[in-house]
Amino acid sequence: MHAPMAIRVSSSVAATASNRSLLLVVAGVALALLASPSAVSARRRPVRLRLYMHDIVGGPGQTAVRLVKGPGPENPSMHPGNYFGDTVAVDDLLTAGLAAGSAPVGRAQGTYMTGSMSRPVFVVAVTLMLAAGPYNGSTLVVAGRDDTSQPVRELAVVGGTGALRRAAGHVLWSTARVESSLHAVLQLDVHASVPAPSKAAAAALLVSSA
Ligand SMILES: *[C@@H]1O[C@H](CO)[C@@H](O)[C@H](O)[C@H]1NC(C)=O
């Protein structure tokens, strides 16, 4: 926002009476900006979700396939056979609970790549397609660095569609359970927000649905 910056700059030079009256004018403009429709529509509504992502890299029910075997070198921090640049495509089930048999709520579709030569790090780019609840039919786009040596990783919510259009925030990403060497369950705690509809937009919605 430009207004608070203007106030800070002005107050540092507000030594004289004329500067003090200038400051009052600037403050008045700032208040007017805060009350303007554009400031109101900048309000945001929180989006909090907990999802479990089932990453199954082989065997029955496989949902993750390796596209690229990195030419190397082998990553010494990971199990043998993992190479820098390995890239996996996923269409992983999202569930409401930890168990794979709990209510399905969507899919995580995208890729992750072994993004470090020395650390057990994946670089993730997935779209969470939600298929239940208030955000059924909407998506969240998530990207970031998954350092599996850390108990909780932070990835970015970089956008969304549908009811989650213009989403922003972060996902706390952790390994909730290792079912087998082929099936890991990740816990995704989404802390995001979307623009709150302005009064005018809400009224337009009411009219269009009437
Ligand atoms: C989600 O939306 C689809 C399409 O509108 C609908 O068929 C489905 O029943 C919904 N699922 C849930 C769990 O609400």
Side-chain angles (χ1 to χ4, degrees):
M1 297 291 282
H2 299 293
M5 180 69 80
I7 290 171
R8 199 162 69 226
V9 170
S10 297
S11 64
S12 68
V13 295
T16 67
S18 66
N19 274 346
R20 247 178 263 127
S21 61
L22 172 64
L23 178 60
L24 285 175
V25 170
V26 171
V29 170
L31 284 174
L33 280 175
L34 286 174
S36 74
S38 66
V40 170
S41 66
R43 281 180 316 167
R44 298 181 67 88
R45 186 165 53 77
V47 174
R48 289 290 307 274
L49 300 168
R50 172 167 290 176
L51 309 163
Y52 293 91
M53 173 174 158
H54 298 266
D55 195 45
I56 304 175
V57 299
Q62 179 174 9
T63 57
V65 297
R66 187 159 70 184
L67 302 178
V68 172
K69 183 170 174 53
E74 198 168 28
N75 185 315
S77 70
M78 301 173 84
H79 294 298
N82 284 285
Y83 292 85
F84 173 60
D86 284 352
T87 303
V88 175
V90 300
D91 182 11
D92 286 351
L93 177 65
L94 297 171
T95 57
L98 183 61
S102 67
V105 294
R107 313 290 300 192
Q109 298 171 330
T111 58
Y112 57 82
M113 182 188 71
T114 303
S116 169
M117 299 178 81
S118 56
R119 310 275 310 141
V121 168
F122 299 107
V123 174
V124 176
V126 292
T127 297
L128 308 181
M129 192 207 70
L130 302 174
Y135 302 114
N136 186 0
S138 300
T139 69
L140 281 175
V141 181
V142 175
R145 184 172 181 273
D146 175 12
D147 180 347
T148 60
S149 71
Q150 300 299 315
V152 181
R153 293 81 79 178
E154 182 177 332
L155 280 72
V157 173
V158 297
T161 64
L164 296 169
R165 195 177 287 166
R166 292 173 62 207
H170 65 282
V171 180
L172 298 180
W173 185 283
S174 56
T175 307
R177 185 191 281 173
V178 177
E179 300 278 8
S180 73
S181 62
L182 298 176
H183 181 176
V185 187
L186 299 155
Q187 180 175 313
L188 277 50
D189 283 319
V190 176
H191 299 253
S193 65
V194 292
S198 65
K199 284 197 177 107
L205 277 175
L206 282 176
V207 168
S208 65
S209 64

